[in-house]
Amino acid sequence: MRIIGIETSCDDTGAAIFDDRLGLLAHATFHQFETHAPFGGVVPELASRDHARKLLLLLQHVIEKANILTSSISGIAYTAGPGLAGALLVGAAFARTLGYAWQIPTIGVHHMEGHLLAPLLEDATPPFPFLALLVSGGHTLLVEVQTLGEYQILGESLDDAAGEAFDKIAKLLGLSYPGGPLLEQLAKEGHPNRFTFPRPLTEKPGLNFSFSGLKTFTMNTLKATQQTHQDKADIAREFQEAVVDTLLIKCQRAIKATGIHSLVVAGGVGANQRLRQKLSELSEHTNTAIYYPRLEFCTDNGAMIAYAGYQRLKMGFHDDLEIIVRPRWGMDTLKKS
Ligand code: KG4
Ligand code: ZN
């Protein structure tokens, strides 16, 4: 089976080709950073236009890179949700049209299932069951994965996602978009222990997250300073420590509650080096193996969609020609057969 993967849920256009015998043949991502940076965040209408402009070119490029005949392609997977409705529709309409023209099946994939399965594209893969911490711009989820398609949500964010909180605080600190990686850089210049930030919802039992109170706390802390470069760096550092610690505490709880000692960490915030450093400490003292996708597959990409689509098609799923997207779509509603 040879599957095309198409990702257009937010501000990255992704295309890839996965082959069940040869693995990933080619992949490419077009980031729309320049389009959205002047606005300090993603402008949905502009995101859709960029996807429409780039998708065909990107796919042509990937097919050339893989050096394959289009007649050897047996299916097309695209992100059907969750995400921005207009952006999703560009990918969905494109994939369905191509599938119809080529008379091959198309399958709508859940974006977070794509993130969750991304580490399975690497050499060392987690054994089932495993836990997954999915931390992106739109979601913060702790999931128990019994098997492919069987996902139990153990905890989720009650308000802002971890990546969203990073982006909002970055904006407040005067950083460009997307703020997460820039905030991480600024935090390296911060001095430790100047402020004490809360670790939200860690005093209470449970595995849910909440980052909006931490956001307000950070905003108030900044306002109480002169807002010099050093003030901002110190605040960035403490904010990052608070988010990372909070994620760590919940992962540790999930490991203890389930007895599962394999943890997948995926989604854009999974690229954060401080998070990875602290997760490796957690790995040692809880005897837990941690699995990441390669860095470029932490953020949105077509490879994870091609892989998730391949697994879904193999499981016997297929969609009809109707173009449907699901901007809101609970991961726990997915089925395994
Ligand atoms: O998974 P992703 O590419 O898109 C969504 O599905 O949302 O995640 C993007 C999010 C953004 O909020 C971005 O700021 C954040 O991941 N991010 C980071 C880092 N790299 C990306 N946050 C913190 N540290 C990073 N190094
Ligand atoms: Zn994502």
Side-chain angles (χ1 to χ4, degrees):
M1 234 196 271
R2 190 169 275 180
I3 310 293
I4 286 178
I6 286 169
E7 159 62 34
T8 64
S9 68
C10 191
D11 60 343
D12 295 316
T13 317
I17 302 172
F18 178 81
D19 182 289
D20 61 349
R21 284 183 308 112
L22 304 171
L24 196 60
L25 298 183
H27 63 93
T29 310
F30 172 73
H31 300 286
Q32 304 178 354
F33 299 152
E34 280 179 22
T35 302
H36 304 292
F39 304 95
V42 179
V43 183
E45 175 60 23
L46 296 182
S48 309
R49 288 186 213 178
D50 260 8
H51 289 311
R53 255 200 306 261
K54 290 289 177 200
L55 189 50
L56 181 59
L57 294 171
L58 204 68
L59 183 60
Q60 277 174 334
H61 167 71
V62 163
I63 289 171
E64 274 169 30
K65 217 160 85 174
N67 196 20
I68 56 162
L69 294 173
T70 51
S71 56
S72 70
I73 294 164
S74 39
I76 305 177
Y78 66 93
T79 304
L84 303 171
L88 290 167
L89 274 168
V90 174
F94 181 89
R96 286 268 196 262
T97 309
L98 202 56
Y100 182 67
W102 288 349
Q103 288 296 298
I104 55 173
T106 51
I107 181 103
V109 167
H110 193 290
H111 181 78
M112 297 313 288
E113 184 175 47
H115 275 305
L116 184 128
L117 299 182
L120 274 63
L121 283 163
E122 305 306 325
D123 291 338
T125 56
F128 292 109
F130 60 82
L131 295 171
L133 173 70
L134 304 180
V135 271
S136 71
H139 293 85
T140 306
L141 294 169
L142 250 173
V143 188
E144 183 174 334
V145 181
Q146 280 307 328
T147 184
L148 258 165
E150 201 177 328
Y151 309 126
Q152 195 193 340
I153 310 292
L154 303 177
E156 61 190 321
S157 179
L158 305 175
D159 40 60
D160 292 357
E164 189 180 358
F166 263 97
D167 291 339
K168 286 180 177 168
I169 295 304
K171 194 172 180 182
L172 198 75
L173 295 172
L175 302 172
S176 184
Y177 180 84
L182 298 173
L183 192 148
E184 180 179 3
Q185 289 311 315
L186 181 61
K188 287 185 184 149
E189 297 176 46
H191 299 317
N193 307 324
R194 179 169 160 203
F195 305 105
T196 309
F197 278 40
R199 273 60 174 153
L201 291 190
T202 55
E203 302 290 318
K204 296 183 194 153
L207 295 169
N208 284 333
F209 305 89
S210 165
F211 292 109
S212 79
L214 176 63
K215 200 179 61 190
T216 311
F217 185 92
T218 311
M219 205 178 329
N220 291 337
T221 307
L222 179 68
K223 277 190 198 149
T225 68
Q226 302 287 317
Q227 306 195 15
T228 63
H229 181 79
Q230 193 58 52
D231 290 335
K232 290 180 180 174
D234 293 349
I235 286 169
R237 187 186 191 283
E238 286 313 316
F239 168 78
Q240 178 173 267
E241 288 300 307
V243 175
V244 167
D245 274 356
T246 305
L247 296 175
L248 260 283
I249 291 166
K250 301 290 167 149
C251 286
Q252 191 163 7
R253 260 185 214 173
I255 293 165
K256 201 163 169 212
T258 59
I260 297 173
H261 288 262
S262 304
L263 173 67
V264 155
V265 179
V269 184
N272 186 281
Q273 294 304 316
R274 182 62 179 149
L275 176 63
R276 289 185 174 218
Q277 191 185 2
K278 292 210 109 178
L279 277 166
S280 82
E281 290 167 15
L282 178 80
S283 160
E284 268 177 38
H285 67 80
T286 60
N287 196 22
T288 301
I290 316 237
Y291 300 85
Y292 301 99
R294 73 192 78 163
L295 222 45
E296 62 188 319
F297 295 163
C298 272
T299 47
D300 295 346
N301 65 86
M304 67 184 195
I305 302 303
Y307 185 75
Y310 154 67
Q311 291 292 356
R312 290 258 151 211
L313 287 169
K314 201 171 73 163
M315 283 152 84
F317 287 91
H318 64 90
D319 295 342
D320 59 26
L321 285 172
E322 203 176 3
I323 298 173
I324 295 181
V325 295
R326 299 180 181 193
R328 289 179 166 272
W329 187 6
M331 210 183 170
D332 48 356
T333 63
L334 292 175
K335 296 189 174 64
K336 60 175 175 170
S337 57

